[in-house]
Amino acid sequence: MKEVDPDRNLKMYIDTFHRMGGALDYAFLEADADYSSDVLHKQAAIEGMQIIDGANSTCDLSKIQGSSISYQTFLGTVEVQPVRISQTAGSIPNVDGYKTAFFHPPYGLRETLPFASNLFVQINNFLFGSDPDMSEIFSWSTDWSNYFDAGREWWGAFYWTIRQPNSRQFVVIGASTTD
């Protein structure tokens, strides 16, 4: 596997997401050999961690476990609007997948919901194309790298590898943060 640069527009969208407080990390890889999907996804997960966390990452690869999941499972809770519980208080949805992790980092996004929603659509158009349900998505355990330690304290830790069918291109998405 080798790291590749994302499309320049996608990079611009991801940079905007990070500037507004987004907590997801993205890495882009290309397979240099043909192996089974599960082998390639595991290789992408390992290589992606080196890109996302670099020299800071201490890994125990004997603990890494992954499984194929559907796009809907990957998204998690679909509704991201806070639910009003009183005149002065609201409750955000449980951070349980990609969508809530995107919209609800620990300190919130420094942008309006319509702006963030448009950005979410733009990023996902690049990542998933016109038929996201066809994507191969693996969800990975979060106990094999110290990258995940902060997220397991409170907010959450997530790690996914994604590719389109018959493609050599992989996207790795990681999230691990706390307040």
Side-chain angles (χ1 to χ4, degrees):
M1 289 256 165
K2 65 179 180 182
E3 183 177 10
V4 294
D5 292 326
D7 175 276
R8 67 182 179 88
N9 289 323
L10 176 57
K11 181 175 178 358
M12 179 186 66
Y13 295 140
I14 291 171
D15 289 347
T16 299
F17 172 67
H18 288 146
R19 280 193 303 277
M20 59 190 240
L24 297 174
D25 297 310
Y26 295 83
F28 301 89
L29 298 154
E30 185 173 311
D32 49 13
D34 289 324
Y35 294 103
S36 65
S37 281
D38 57 331
V39 169
L40 288 173
H41 277 275
K42 185 173 184 177
Q43 189 178 6
I46 294 166
E47 296 289 327
M49 183 57 66
Q50 294 305 308
I51 295 166
I52 288 172
D53 205 33
N56 297 322
S57 186
T58 303
C59 298
D60 179 352
L61 298 181
S62 68
K63 292 183 176 181
I64 188 171
Q65 298 291 320
S67 60
S68 179
I69 60 171
S70 71
Y71 179 70
Q72 293 306 314
T73 299
F74 164 74
L75 278 182
T77 301
V78 175
E79 182 57 53
V80 295
Q81 288 273 30
V83 175
R84 183 169 298 279
I85 55 176
S86 74
Q87 286 288 82
T88 58
S91 174
I92 65 169
N94 184 37
V95 178
D96 65 354
Y98 176 65
K99 192 167 185 180
T100 50
F102 185 98
F103 283 96
H104 296 292
Y107 293 106
L109 293 176
R110 295 180 297 275
E111 197 48 81
T112 65
L113 184 59
F115 183 90
S117 295
N118 183 57
L119 189 62
F120 184 74
V121 168
Q122 295 300 323
I123 289 172
N124 291 338
N125 283 342
F126 278 97
L127 300 183
F128 300 105
S130 62
D131 193 359
D133 288 320
M134 294 303 296
S135 301
E136 289 180 7
I137 304 171
F138 275 63
S139 178
W140 296 93
S141 56
T142 57
D143 62 349
W144 58 276
S145 170
N146 62 328
Y147 167 81
F148 302 113
D149 291 350
R152 285 198 320 266
E153 287 177 11
W154 175 68
W155 180 79
F158 305 95
Y159 203 65
W160 302 285
T161 55
I162 302 157
R163 83 168 174 165
Q164 299 309 308
N166 304 314
S167 173
R168 290 180 174 254
Q169 302 274 324
F170 284 80
V171 179
V172 179
I173 303 173
S176 180
T177 191
T178 190
D179 63 347

